[in-house]
């Protein structure tokens, strides 16, 4: 299963759908996780934090493509 995490598009929205801790848990359960570049910036989460737990990062189109 591939899980996609997208950057929020609503004006002023600072939340993100998954934190690195959540991503790490999904990966431990066998999921592949792709995160849109910059998805966590509003919540002060760097892309490197997602990469460090095993997520792949990329543009929205790549994250959506193949996501379940």
């Amino acid at each position: 299963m591939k899980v996609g995490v997208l950057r929020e598009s609503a004006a002023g929205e600072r939340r993100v759908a998954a934190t690195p801790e959540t991503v790490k848990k999904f990966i431990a359960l066998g999921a592949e996780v792709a995160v849109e570049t910059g998805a966590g910036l509003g919540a002060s989460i760097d892309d490197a934090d997602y990469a460090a737990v095993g997520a792949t990062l990329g543009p929205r189109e790549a994250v959506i493509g193949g996501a379940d």
Side-chain angles (χ1 to χ4, degrees):
M1 173 183 279
K2 181 179 176 184
V3 177
V5 178
L6 300 176
R7 182 175 51 216
E8 294 293 338
S9 59
E13 182 59 72
R14 300 179 54 88
R15 294 177 291 179
V16 63
T19 65
E21 181 179 338
T22 306
V23 169
K24 184 177 179 179
K25 290 177 182 179
F26 279 133
I27 291 171
L29 291 171
E32 177 185 344
V33 180
V35 178
E36 181 180 3
T37 304
L41 293 179
S44 299
I45 302 171
D46 292 325
D47 289 341
D49 296 330
Y50 288 108
V53 296
T56 56
L57 288 113
R60 179 176 287 259
E61 297 79 21
V63 171
I64 293 172
D68 295 314

